[in-house]
Amino acid sequence: MSRSTIVILDFGAQYVQLIARRVREHHVHSVIVPPGVTADEIRALGAVGLILSGGPASVYGKDAPRCSPEVLELGLPILGICYGMQLACEMWGADVTPGRSREFGRTELDVLNRSTLFAHVPERTSVWMSHGDVVSEMSDDFVPIASTPGCRCAAVAHKTRSFFGVQFHPEVSHTPCGTQIIRNFLYDACGCTGDWQVSQVTHDAVDSIREQVGESDRVICGLSGGVDSSVVAALIHEAIGDRLSCIFVDNGLMREGEVDLVDSTFRQHFNVDLTVADAADLFLDKLEGVIDPQEKRVIIGHTFIDVFREQAKRFKDARFLAQGTLYPDVIESGHGASGEAANIKLHHNVGGLPAELGFDLVEPLRELFKDEVRRVGEHLGLPEEIVWRHPFPGPGLAVRILGAVTRERLALLRAADTIIIEEIRAAGWYNKIAQAFGVLLPINTVGVMGDGRSYAGQHVVAVRFVESADFMTADWVHCDYELLGRIASRVINEVDGVNRVVYDISSKPPATSEWE
Ligand code: XMP
């Protein structure tokens, strides 16, 4: 596999994943590494350029993260962003001090030199700033290439090296020319050719699965109906064909049509060896009378593992277990550069499988961001309904039924959820929303139905639409009232047992996406 890679040194930037994604949007592979990376490790990664990220520290601070001087001497083109610029300038003899005032938010930038980094960028443009320190005294080796009213060295270039520093953040959408600036760095300074294409990514992933699994071993893959496990299964199937066996545990907590969608996609379309384990009764019996959300999660998690383990025993020749670990999981677990297995946050691992099952892991998505996973899924011919599916929690509808989980309450929420999804699809909102769902509340409210007062057996359904890039933060969707009105009247008219629908207008934080 030969591809050019941009190595991003992470000095604790809030936006470090965004930098990596921006680079990849230009079809250039990128990896994020800790600041202590060695020059040899960078060479081994096939780096053609370096980006030094921003970070919260001051370069003159006691515990400020630094990189080794050899890294700067590799002769690779370097783009320093904010802290990254200050650090490189300081290491090459410039002074970094607190600025006269801090600069936060949108600022007007005057471009002084419109070659290389600022090619095709207007002479004046807005940029996003977030800094207190500045490069105050440059050595003769540097020239300023842009300035703002509050920052003389808003961008600098080195006279003899291929180094550019920007005090602002080109990676955020509030810097309109940021895309052009990053492109200039990648293609003009680093000589990238845009070889990170979905066909190549898919091809490389298939190759490395073949290499890892070998000629005779079997891989087991747990399917959930979500995009990650579906793409994992499709990739492995492409790589090793009928030596892939998929297991779908029907826990009875799925949405309407979910089991059929998985079955028709994988068994019928891809001709994958798929076992659907109907374990709904087992899960629902264990959940009987359980109200506490954490207890529900634990029961569901353990039962899932028990059922999966039983099913997996049938495949005596299976040595590998597939897992849909994504690149953000790898980065967040701090193992990005060293290639160790990801330690995914427990909260989101309910419905996942523990290492003690005793398999070797195959993780073909470990290098990819979610949007890249979707593109690989499209490339492999997965249906749009799976590729663009909103995320769905491992414990399923159990976290969306507040209070006891019963068959009746599941049927009610499933019917309401189906209407919600039908209506947002019909209104063209589905792909604009990160996650949309209904929540069944554990209360009755009074209502009038026909000529009578209704109360007993009449429930409230909360509708929740959130928009979010990564689910760490989320906002409620300001969607149109007509759509909400249609959903409310259909749910109340068509779902027996619901007399009230409310819309959740809380952001995360302080709320969460799910209600539990
Ligand atoms: P919260 O509610 O924390 O959820 O804002 C963030 C995202 O995570 C999903 N979620 C889960 N996903 N297993 C999963 O696979 C889980 O146990 C789980 N709990 C929450 C949630 O749906 C949202 O997309």
Side-chain angles (χ1 to χ4, degrees):
M1 172 172 37
S2 78
R3 64 175 176 214
S4 21
T5 293
I6 295 293
V7 173
I8 301 162
L9 274 67
D10 179 8
F11 293 101
Q14 194 186 345
Y15 302 122
V16 70
Q17 291 193 27
L18 200 52
I19 301 174
R21 280 166 53 195
R22 290 283 174 266
V23 170
R24 291 182 183 201
E25 278 163 19
H26 290 291
H27 303 293
V28 176
H29 181 242
S30 61
V31 292
I32 298 171
V33 299
V37 65
T38 65
D40 282 345
E41 282 167 337
I42 290 180
R43 270 192 219 101
L45 287 166
V48 295
L50 302 179
I51 296 181
L52 313 181
S53 85
S58 285
V59 295
Y60 48 80
K62 199 157 65 68
D63 297 320
R66 306 184 72 84
C67 60
S68 106
E70 291 90 76
V71 165
L72 299 193
E73 302 302 332
L74 278 165
L76 295 168
I78 301 175
L79 173 65
I81 297 176
C82 197
Y83 179 87
M85 159 180 163
Q86 295 165 6
L87 181 68
C89 289
E90 190 241 30
M91 288 171 77
W92 279 320
D95 285 344
V96 175
T97 53
R100 262 182 293 125
S101 59
R102 302 189 309 170
E103 254 186 326
F104 285 107
R106 206 182 298 279
T107 312
E108 286 301 298
L109 182 86
D110 286 314
V111 178
L112 311 172
N113 179 335
R114 293 172 67 221
S115 60
T116 320
L117 196 67
F118 290 118
H120 314 294
V121 173
E123 270 172 31
R124 174 164 274 209
T125 179
S126 16
V127 294
W128 191 259
M129 285 284 197
S130 176
H131 70 115
D133 291 343
V134 291
V135 174
S136 45
E137 224 28 80
M138 289 187 297
S139 62
D140 287 344
D141 294 333
F142 294 96
V143 277
I145 53 174
S147 65
T148 68
C151 182
R152 193 168 54 89
C153 302
V156 297
H158 196 282
K159 283 185 190 154
T160 54
R161 300 166 188 269
S162 182
F163 169 80
F164 303 93
V166 290
Q167 186 54 71
F168 58 89
H169 289 271
E171 70 277 21
V172 303
S173 57
H174 304 292
T175 299
C177 290
T179 302
Q180 181 67 52
I181 292 168
I182 291 173
R183 188 182 171 82
N184 290 342
F185 175 68
L186 299 174
Y187 284 78
D188 298 342
C190 303
C192 294
T193 54
D195 54 10
W196 181 251
Q197 300 283 346
V198 65
S199 52
Q200 190 59 39
V201 173
T202 310
H203 183 264
D204 291 349
V206 166
D207 267 1
S208 57
I209 294 167
R210 285 193 185 128
E211 196 179 313
Q212 185 187 358
V213 174
E215 296 292 318
S216 57
D217 284 313
R218 176 167 299 278
V219 180
I220 298 183
C221 175
L223 278 175
S224 70
V227 56
D228 302 343
S229 66
S230 299
V231 173
V232 166
L235 271 172
I236 298 178
H237 188 248
E238 178 83 14
I240 60 166
D242 59 11
R243 282 188 289 127
L244 167 71
S245 292
C246 291
I247 298 171
F248 179 89
V249 176
D250 180 1
N251 56 12
L253 306 166
M254 303 284 171
R255 291 161 296 182
E256 196 65 46
E258 209 132 31
V259 184
D260 290 344
L261 178 65
V262 171
D263 193 81
S264 64
T265 306
F266 287 95
R267 203 188 328 245
Q268 293 166 31
H269 177 72
F270 281 104
N271 212 4
V272 162
D273 170 34
L274 169 68
T275 305
V276 177
D278 177 1
D281 288 343
L282 180 67
F283 278 87
L284 296 184
D285 288 351
K286 291 199 181 228
L287 284 171
E288 197 179 321
V290 179
I291 306 232
D292 179 68
Q294 208 45 35
E295 208 180 318
K296 286 182 192 170
R297 280 177 179 278
V298 170
I299 292 173
I300 295 166
H302 287 163
T303 312
F304 179 84
I305 291 163
D306 290 346
V307 174
F308 194 91
R309 182 184 276 130
E310 259 330 285
Q311 294 293 333
K313 273 189 193 152
R314 296 190 297 118
F315 303 101
K316 301 263 181 283
D317 57 340
R319 202 183 120 205
F320 294 95
L321 179 70
Q323 189 150 303
T325 314
L326 301 190
Y327 194 43
D329 305 322
V330 175
I331 302 167
E332 279 160 29
S333 66
H335 294 315
S338 62
E340 289 168 41
N343 166 25
I344 302 166
K345 288 165 292 204
L346 183 66
H347 170 64
H348 289 158
N349 206 22
V350 176
L353 292 160
E356 75 237 25
L357 281 183
F359 294 100
D360 292 344
L361 293 183
V362 182
E363 300 176 294
L365 312 181
R366 319 181 27 105
E367 280 205 70
L368 305 183
F369 287 108
K370 192 86 171 187
D371 48 327
E372 294 169 326
V373 171
R374 293 193 204 276
R375 283 205 297 280
V376 169
E378 276 176 336
H379 185 74
L380 290 166
L382 282 169
E384 198 194 316
E385 208 184 333
I386 287 187
V387 170
W388 291 101
R389 198 143 244 245
H390 292 172
F392 185 60
L397 296 180
V399 293
R400 295 178 180 170
I401 293 178
L402 275 54
V405 181
T406 63
R407 284 178 180 74
E408 296 69 36
R409 304 185 85 209
L410 274 165
L412 193 152
L413 182 57
R414 210 171 264 139
D417 198 76
T418 305
I419 292 171
I420 294 169
I421 300 299
E422 271 174 19
E423 287 297 330
I424 62 167
R425 276 195 194 282
W429 275 88
Y430 189 84
N431 287 343
K432 292 189 249 171
I433 295 175
Q435 205 171 18
F437 53 91
V439 181
L440 182 60
L441 306 194
I443 50 170
N444 298 125
T445 67
V446 74
V448 274
M449 281 199 169
D451 292 328
R453 181 178 181 278
S454 64
Y455 181 71
Q458 292 300 322
H459 299 91
V460 183
V461 166
V463 175
R464 178 80 161 140
F465 298 165
V466 293
E467 54 186 23
S468 174
D470 53 13
F471 287 99
M472 307 293 278
T473 60
D475 201 4
W476 61 282
V477 175
H478 296 226
C479 78
D480 103 62
Y481 289 171
E482 298 300 321
L483 170 60
L484 291 176
R486 277 195 302 279
I487 289 174
S489 76
R490 275 196 64 196
V491 169
I492 291 169
N493 289 333
E494 296 174 32
V495 184
D496 212 11
V498 179
N499 69 348
R500 197 178 290 269
V501 170
V502 296
Y503 187 54
D504 181 352
I505 51 168
S506 332
S507 60
K508 173 184 180 175
T512 51
S513 322
E514 303 288 349
W515 282 43
E516 299 251 0

